[in-house]
Amino acid sequence: KAEAPLRELFGLDHDEMAVHYYENNLFTNDDYPWAHCSADGWLFDNTTGEFGLLEIKTAEMIGQSSWIKWEGGIPVQYLCQITHGLAVTDAAFVIVKAQLKYWKEERLFITTREYRYEREQLEDDIKYLMTAEEQFWEGVQSHKRPPLILPQI
């Protein structure tokens, strides 16, 4: 429920951007026929002429470990999501608007952060992710289980 008002606030804060959104949107890309992307918004930067994506996140921060995930960037699962979105849409950039809520002494506090990622920053990640997705999709089509990937210890 928070996406619509946060998208509207983003538009009010950024006159340089045109913000667009349609319910049940679905981007596809002929280079990656298995891949789809649903965006929380798409952006047109009036100053550069570039097309970008808007991703909106809300989170309740519980303990220091929650904050650490948002320091200097976004949590890794969201980084994978926006990398996928850049690949599918060919967008030049993504802006993540995050509303982070926390309680202190029985009072609710809310902080909003924005993180901007340029396509060129993530180009190597896009190639890696789309190769892995293609291999996974080939396994799905041939009814093969994906290999188990264990974390390094």
Side-chain angles (χ1 to χ4, degrees):
K1 291 184 178 183
E3 284 179 10
L6 288 172
R7 184 173 33 253
E8 189 173 337
L9 283 171
F10 181 88
L12 292 172
D13 289 340
H14 294 275
D15 325 359
E16 78 281 8
M17 300 268 184
V19 181
H20 303 279
Y21 178 74
Y22 298 102
E23 285 291 327
N24 303 315
N25 67 80
L26 188 67
F27 289 90
T28 59
N29 185 316
D30 291 341
D31 292 336
Y32 312 112
W34 67 90
H36 304 88
C37 171
S38 175
D40 294 335
W42 48 97
L43 307 170
F44 180 78
D45 187 325
N46 297 315
T47 58
T48 66
E50 292 179 315
F51 163 71
L53 297 175
L54 176 63
E55 186 59 39
I56 297 170
K57 297 296 178 197
T58 60
E60 185 164 349
M61 311 307 280
I62 302 171
Q64 187 63 26
S65 63
S66 296
W67 288 105
I68 289 170
K69 293 176 185 177
W70 289 94
E71 289 305 319
I74 61 176
V76 68
Q77 68 270 25
Y78 301 143
L79 187 59
C80 290
Q81 180 185 5
I82 68 166
T83 302
H84 175 89
L86 285 170
V88 173
T89 64
D90 290 326
F93 64 92
V94 177
I95 297 178
V96 177
K97 182 175 183 72
Q99 179 178 279
L100 309 175
K101 300 188 297 186
Y102 62 100
W103 291 87
K104 186 175 181 181
E105 298 175 8
E106 299 184 21
R107 289 187 54 210
L108 175 64
F109 292 86
I110 297 173
T111 184
T112 303
R113 295 182 180 180
E114 290 183 9
Y115 303 86
R116 183 176 174 125
Y117 292 87
E118 302 295 330
R119 179 183 191 84
E120 62 190 30
Q121 284 177 279
L122 298 174
E123 204 62 58
D124 290 340
D125 295 319
I126 290 169
K127 290 175 188 166
Y128 175 84
L129 183 62
M130 298 318 286
T131 298
E133 287 187 24
E134 182 175 26
Q135 292 169 349
F136 177 81
W137 183 244
E138 287 170 357
V140 169
Q141 290 182 309
S142 63
H143 304 287
K144 290 174 90 176
R145 287 181 180 218
L148 182 61
I149 301 173
L150 297 174
Q152 291 183 347
I153 298 176

